[in-house]
């Protein structure tokens, strides 16, 4: 996180003892990455911005900063069991890297919110549909999809916030058993 964004976060949580702020990046490989900090920090990303993305007001790079990046699964190993956990990811084209870095901890999440671009704003950004299918393959369904950015006057959606919830394991099992008849019977019976 750029210094200013981290300071704003730290200030915002001062009064709440249940929150902690850590100045780290999260991805699928631990190490150091260069963050391109834009004039408007909402566009700051580990990935270069596309020509279309650069047309957005204040999206131009102001400077870069090296950031210590951790895998979320390794980071969460150090914490006590968090119980029901809601993971919010708004990482400007780096969402799949964060998701892959959750490892087996993804199964412990009760819900995941990810901002996914329908229009590629960042280079090498994973396609939003690939992310949806990846989440489905891990037992998550879309609970909500909210448009949070559009390009006007074209009325073209730029990005959605998708909220995924885990399918109920018993519900998924009962759907499977409804399709697969018990042994010794036929599907027509």
């Amino acid at each position: 996180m750029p210094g200013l964004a981290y300071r704003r976060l730290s200030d915002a949580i001062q009064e709440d003892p249940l929150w902690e702020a850590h100045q780290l990046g999260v991805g699928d490989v631990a190490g150091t990455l260069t963050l391109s900090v834009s004039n408007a920090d909402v566009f700051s990303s580990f990935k270069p911005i596309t020509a279309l993305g650069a047309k957005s007001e204040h999206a131009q790079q102001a400077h870069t900063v090296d950031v210590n990046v951790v895998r979320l699964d390794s980071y969460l190993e150090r914490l006590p069991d968090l119980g029901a956990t809601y993971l919010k990811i708004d990482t400007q084209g780096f969402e799949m890297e964060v998701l892959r870095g959750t490892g087996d901890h993804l199964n412990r999440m009760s819900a995941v919110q990810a901002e996914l671009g329908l229009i590629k704003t960042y280079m090498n950004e994973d396609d939003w549909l690939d992310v949806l299918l990846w989440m489905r393959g891990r037992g998550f369904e879309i609970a909500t999809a909210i448009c949070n950015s559009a390009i006007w006057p074209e009325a073209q959606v730029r990005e959605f916030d998708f909220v995924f919830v885990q399918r109920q394991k018993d519900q998924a099992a009962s759907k499977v058993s409804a399709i697969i008849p018990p042994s010794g019977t036929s599907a027509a019976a």
Side-chain angles (χ1 to χ4, degrees):
M1 251 183 250
L4 179 60
Y6 179 73
R7 282 194 302 277
R8 283 196 315 252
L9 174 63
S10 294
D11 291 346
I13 66 171
Q14 282 285 331
E15 302 301 316
D16 191 337
L18 297 177
W19 281 78
E20 292 180 22
H22 300 269
Q23 197 162 359
L24 299 167
V26 182
D28 55 349
V29 177
T32 302
L33 288 175
T34 300
L35 181 70
S36 174
V37 180
S38 62
N39 292 322
D41 59 16
V42 298
F43 290 103
S44 298
S45 179
F46 289 124
K47 294 188 174 188
I49 200 160
T50 63
L52 177 64
K55 291 180 182 178
S56 298
E57 187 176 1
H58 307 296
Q60 293 71 31
Q61 176 180 306
H63 63 279
T64 62
V65 61
D66 288 338
V67 176
N68 183 29
V69 175
V70 298
R71 284 182 54 94
L72 198 52
D73 57 358
S74 299
Y75 185 79
L76 291 174
E77 285 296 325
R78 303 177 315 147
L79 302 175
D81 182 14
L82 301 174
T85 303
Y86 187 99
L87 174 62
K88 183 181 187 307
I89 307 169
D90 184 351
T91 53
Q92 304 312 100
F94 207 65
E95 289 74 17
M96 251 337 277
E97 287 84 348
V98 173
L99 286 167
R100 283 192 298 265
T102 62
D104 291 337
H105 282 273
L106 184 63
N107 293 328
R108 298 179 188 176
M109 305 294 168
S110 52
V112 175
Q113 179 178 339
E115 181 184 86
L116 302 176
L118 276 64
I119 297 171
K120 300 243 178 179
T121 303
Y122 301 92
M123 293 180 194
N124 304 313
E125 179 178 358
D126 285 278
D127 186 82
W128 65 277
L129 189 53
D130 291 337
V131 178
L132 298 183
L133 294 172
W134 190 89
M135 289 296 287
R136 176 186 276 175
R138 280 142 188 87
F140 285 82
E141 300 176 340
I142 297 172
T144 307
I146 301 168
C147 173
N148 66 5
S149 177
I151 299 173
W152 300 104
E154 293 87 355
Q156 187 175 16
V157 174
R158 177 187 294 260
E159 56 199 15
F160 271 93
D161 268 340
F162 288 95
V163 177
F164 302 91
V165 294
Q166 279 204 40
R167 284 192 297 263
Q168 296 297 330
K169 290 177 178 44
D170 330 355
Q171 181 184 14
S174 67
K175 286 181 183 176
V176 170
S177 63
I179 297 168
I180 303 169
S183 64
T185 64
S186 68

